């Protein structure tokens, strides 16, 4: 039997997986995804992983049905969530460039550029959680238009997100 292919974000939450492999002979190939849950969603859908440990919000967002289109009236549930791994809440930081004296609170982020690792990732989803908390989300008007709380700039990974807030191609990101 081939070993399990387990995807994970290399953070302290992943320590038990390493521990199980080292001390309890877990027969698995551990595949780190420093780019986050959104990248794991793509990989599990492509059949490159057997199991993945990531941010719940990212997995839920990937499973959430989209409005039907003429070519697709159903949603393909190509993976499922089987449980939780960590019960404590994950605290998210709102990060901006080290010289961005113009950004001093969350209230100034509306209408700015939010860097995300990828659409559907935790950094993307949590930006909308922030927008909802701040009251920036509005239901579409009767003509179907709506106003986004900020512009989105997908940047793939933490290194590029950090660089973007420092060179001002993005105003903030959440990680």
């Amino acid at each position: 039997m081939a070993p399990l292919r387990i995807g994970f974000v290399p953070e302290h939450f992943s320590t038990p997986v390493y521990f199980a492999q080292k001390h309890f002979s877990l027969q698995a190939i551990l595949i780190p995804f420093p780019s986050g849950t959104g990248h794991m969603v793509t990989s599990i859908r492509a059949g490159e992983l057997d199991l993945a440990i990531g941010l719940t919000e990212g997995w839920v967002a990937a499973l959430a049905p989209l409005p039907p289109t003429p070519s697709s009236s159903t949603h393909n549930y190509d993976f499922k969530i089987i449980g939780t791994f960590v019960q404590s809440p994950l605290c998210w930081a709102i990060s901006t460039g080290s010289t961005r004296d113009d950004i001093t609170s969350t209230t100034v982020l509306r209408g700015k550029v939010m860097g995300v690792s990828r659409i559907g990732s935790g950094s993307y989803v949590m930006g909308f959680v922030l927008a909802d908390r701040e009251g920036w989300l509005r239901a579409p008007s009767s003509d179907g238009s709506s106003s986004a709380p900020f512009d989105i700039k997908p940047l793939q990974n933490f290194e590029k997100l950090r660089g973007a807030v420092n060179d001002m191609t993005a105003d903030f990101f959440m990680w």
Side-chain angles (χ1 to χ4, degrees):
M1 179 188 321
L4 279 176
R5 299 167 297 165
I6 302 175
F8 66 96
V9 178
E11 294 176 342
H12 64 285
F13 294 111
S14 304
T15 302
V17 177
Y18 283 113
F19 192 83
Q21 190 176 50
K22 181 176 180 179
H23 299 288
F24 295 97
S25 303
L26 172 66
Q27 295 299 307
I29 299 168
L30 303 182
I31 305 168
F33 282 81
S35 49
T37 302
H39 190 182
M40 275 190 286
V41 167
T42 302
S43 293
I44 205 160
R45 284 184 165 152
E48 299 165 355
L49 297 172
D50 302 307
L51 175 75
I53 301 168
L55 179 69
T56 303
E57 291 86 347
W59 295 110
V60 170
L63 287 172
L66 299 173
T69 64
S71 63
S72 169
S73 60
T74 61
H75 188 75
N76 180 18
Y77 296 106
D78 44 8
F79 64 86
K80 62 183 174 180
I81 298 171
I82 60 168
T84 57
F85 181 60
V86 176
Q87 294 294 323
S88 60
L90 179 61
C91 296
W92 285 79
I94 301 170
S95 302
T96 189
S98 60
T99 61
R100 295 299 301 268
D101 296 333
D102 60 317
I103 299 178
T104 58
S105 72
T106 56
T107 58
V108 301
L109 299 177
R110 186 176 190 175
K112 299 285 189 190
V113 177
M114 180 177 73
V116 300
S117 53
R118 60 191 30 80
I119 303 301
S121 68
S123 57
Y124 176 84
V125 171
M126 293 310 291
F128 286 93
V129 171
L130 170 68
D132 184 50
R133 185 190 79 189
E134 295 297 316
W136 302 339
L137 296 180
R138 289 182 285 190
S141 62
S142 60
D143 67 1
S145 65
S146 64
S147 172
F150 26 67
D151 291 329
I152 305 294
K153 185 163 188 70
L155 294 161
Q156 286 79 48
N157 59 43
F158 183 75
E159 181 181 0
K160 290 179 182 176
L161 287 163
R162 189 179 59 233
V165 295
N166 283 306
D167 70 17
M168 297 187 183
T169 56
D171 295 303
F172 73 102
F173 70 90
M174 297 185 68
W175 203 264

